[in-house]
Amino acid sequence: MPRFATFLLLAVALAATACSHPARGPAVPRADTARAQPLGISNARFFADGDPTLMIEEGRRALAREIETLKAEGKAPTLANLPPVNFLAVSGGGDNGAFGAGLMNGWTRAGTRPEFKIVTGVSTGALIAPFAFLGSDHDAALREVYTTMTADRVFRPRGISAALFDDAMADTTPLAQIIATYADQKMFDAIAREYGEGRLLLIGTTDLDAQRPVIWNVGALAASGKPGALNLFRKILRASAAIPGVFQPVMIDVELDGRQYQEMHVDGGAIAQLFLYPPSIDVVRTLKRKRQAYIIRNARLDPDWAMSDRRTITIAGRAISTMLAASGQNDVLRTYFVSQRDGVDYNLAYIGSDFVAPTKKGEFDQVYMQALYEYGYQQALAGREWHKRPPGLASPTMSSPAMR
């Protein structure tokens, strides 16, 4: 009985203090989710599971801008002689983003890196994507981010009470400061210029209230000239990497019919850890030219064996890790089958089983990240990075070189 009374008192105390959790503005009503426009910019973002018409129209406008750019360069473009469309999709993966950063820099050094018409990013891939979009002039900054990063430059742990009374177990103010350092006005203006030439930078987040995948059209934000656009860009990058429950969600203000609302955005990987374009878009009709897709999966695709203790937290953590790994593999398969359906040349890079990882001393361990960066760099430099099929789909009779 005393134990029950103690438990009851504790439950009452917790209920009484539960109101101390962080406040937020009202969520956008369910029926109006798609109508809300951050900063009043109609093409600032798209819902990946919604009507594809808006994205198709954005693609057509991008094509028109590309044609005008080519004409200004003294060329005579027609729909029949336009250059190939190169997609780059960079996945989530936390500190494994060092692989993607190394690969991009090694790709530049190899002299085979193309210019990308469309770059997409999720989570750590969202942090890589702007550098990759703007080209090799930003390789040094990308390398710096992923070889000097430490845990204290990403987050500050909170106490155990944060599980009950706060919005995450860690404060990502340090990450916000890093993002602000690199995602500055100069970068934003450069993105706007590339958008004006018909290129697209797309970042994925998850609208947690609506449980919907959101694709942010960063170039449109940059070109809008709206006050607050740069700050929103930084929020999007932070939100895309906001692992639910671990890192703080990001609140994004929107206005609808004269009323103010707030959307809660978290890691895009909560729904998809990478994306090319919504499968509902028929790129065969909208992009009648050669199409090549490059997918960087910042993770291994083989099982990560580990003995699990018989403890609730250990088992739950291991199960979540397993579900995330399976989700990432499914995203790789989805992009493969969509690309095959649409006649897009598919190229996949991932952390291979040949990577011998140094013992990690925690998240964002510099020794680990520097080793992984070098692995990605050498893979690209040697031309070993791209695979034509995801592992498991390749014919067992095919030799490894023939698959690449």
Side-chain angles (χ1 to χ4, degrees), residues 134 138 182-193 230 234:
L134 293 176
H138 291 74
Y182 291 95
D184 57 10
Q185 189 65 52
K186 183 178 179 181
M187 171 181 274
F188 208 42
D189 291 343
I191 292 171
R193 286 193 297 272
L230 175 58
R234 291 167 174 169

Coordinates of all heavy atoms in Angstrom, one line a residue, residues 134 138 182-193 230 234:
L134 N 25.8 24.0 -55.0 CA 26.5 25.2 -55.5 C 27.9 24.8 -56.1 O 28.5 25.7 -56.7 CB 26.7 26.1 -54.3 CG 25.5 26.8 -53.8 CD1 25.8 27.6 -52.6 CD2 24.8 27.6 -54.9
H138 N 32.6 25.0 -53.1 CA 32.2 24.9 -51.7 C 32.7 23.6 -51.1 O 32.3 23.2 -50.0 CB 30.6 24.9 -51.6 CG 30.1 26.3 -51.9 ND1 30.0 26.8 -53.2 CD2 29.6 27.3 -51.1 CE1 29.5 28.0 -53.1 NE2 29.3 28.3 -51.9
Y182 N 27.5 28.8 -41.9 CA 27.7 28.4 -43.3 C 26.5 28.8 -44.2 O 26.7 29.2 -45.4 CB 27.9 26.9 -43.4 CG 29.2 26.5 -42.8 CD1 29.3 26.0 -41.5 CD2 30.4 26.5 -43.5 CE1 30.5 25.6 -40.9 CE2 31.6 26.1 -42.9 CZ 31.6 25.7 -41.6 OH 32.8 25.3 -41.1
A183 N 25.3 28.7 -43.7 CA 24.1 29.1 -44.5 C 23.9 30.6 -44.3 O 22.9 31.1 -43.7 CB 22.9 28.3 -44.1
D184 N 24.8 31.4 -44.9 CA 24.8 32.8 -44.7 C 24.1 33.5 -46.0 O 23.6 32.8 -46.9 CB 26.2 33.4 -44.5 CG 27.1 33.0 -45.6 OD1 26.7 32.5 -46.7 OD2 28.4 33.3 -45.5
Q185 N 24.1 34.8 -46.0 CA 23.4 35.5 -47.0 C 24.1 35.3 -48.4 O 23.5 35.2 -49.4 CB 23.4 37.1 -46.8 CG 22.6 37.9 -47.7 CD 21.1 37.5 -47.7 OE1 20.5 37.5 -46.6 NE2 20.5 37.2 -48.8
K186 N 25.4 35.1 -48.3 CA 26.2 34.9 -49.6 C 25.8 33.5 -50.2 O 25.5 33.5 -51.4 CB 27.7 34.9 -49.3 CG 28.6 34.7 -50.5 CD 30.0 34.7 -50.1 CE 30.9 34.5 -51.4 NZ 32.4 34.5 -51.0
M187 N 25.6 32.5 -49.4 CA 25.2 31.2 -49.9 C 23.8 31.3 -50.4 O 23.4 30.8 -51.5 CB 25.2 30.1 -48.8 CG 24.6 28.8 -49.2 SD 24.6 27.5 -47.9 CE 26.2 26.8 -48.2
F188 N 22.9 32.0 -49.7 CA 21.5 32.2 -50.1 C 21.4 32.9 -51.4 O 20.6 32.5 -52.3 CB 20.8 33.0 -49.0 CG 19.3 32.6 -48.8 CD1 18.8 31.3 -48.9 CD2 18.4 33.7 -48.6 CE1 17.5 31.1 -48.8 CE2 17.1 33.4 -48.4 CZ 16.6 32.1 -48.5
D189 N 22.2 33.9 -51.6 CA 22.1 34.7 -52.9 C 22.6 33.8 -54.0 O 22.1 33.8 -55.1 CB 23.0 35.9 -52.8 CG 22.5 37.0 -51.8 OD1 21.3 36.9 -51.5 OD2 23.2 37.9 -51.4
A190 N 23.6 32.9 -53.7 CA 24.1 32.0 -54.8 C 23.1 31.0 -55.2 O 22.9 30.7 -56.4 CB 25.4 31.3 -54.3
I191 N 22.3 30.5 -54.2 CA 21.2 29.6 -54.5 C 20.2 30.3 -55.3 O 19.6 29.7 -56.3 CB 20.6 29.0 -53.2 CG1 21.6 28.1 -52.4 CG2 19.3 28.3 -53.4 CD1 21.2 27.7 -51.0
A192 N 19.9 31.5 -55.0 CA 18.9 32.3 -55.8 C 19.3 32.4 -57.3 O 18.5 32.3 -58.2 CB 18.7 33.7 -55.2
R193 N 20.6 32.7 -57.5 CA 21.1 32.8 -58.9 C 21.0 31.5 -59.6 O 20.6 31.5 -60.8 CB 22.6 33.2 -58.8 CG 22.8 34.7 -58.5 CD 24.2 35.1 -58.8 NE 25.2 34.4 -58.0 CZ 25.6 34.8 -56.8 NH1 25.1 35.9 -56.2 NH2 26.6 34.1 -56.1
L230 N 15.8 34.0 -45.3 CA 17.1 33.4 -44.9 C 16.9 32.6 -43.6 O 17.4 31.5 -43.4 CB 18.2 34.4 -44.8 CG 19.6 33.9 -44.2 CD1 20.1 32.8 -45.1 CD2 20.6 35.0 -44.1
R234 N 17.4 28.5 -42.7 CA 18.1 27.9 -41.6 C 17.3 27.0 -40.8 O 17.7 25.9 -40.3 CB 18.7 29.0 -40.8 CG 19.8 29.8 -41.5 CD 20.2 31.1 -40.8 NE 21.3 31.8 -41.4 CZ 21.7 33.0 -41.1 NH1 21.0 33.7 -40.1 NH2 22.8 33.6 -41.6

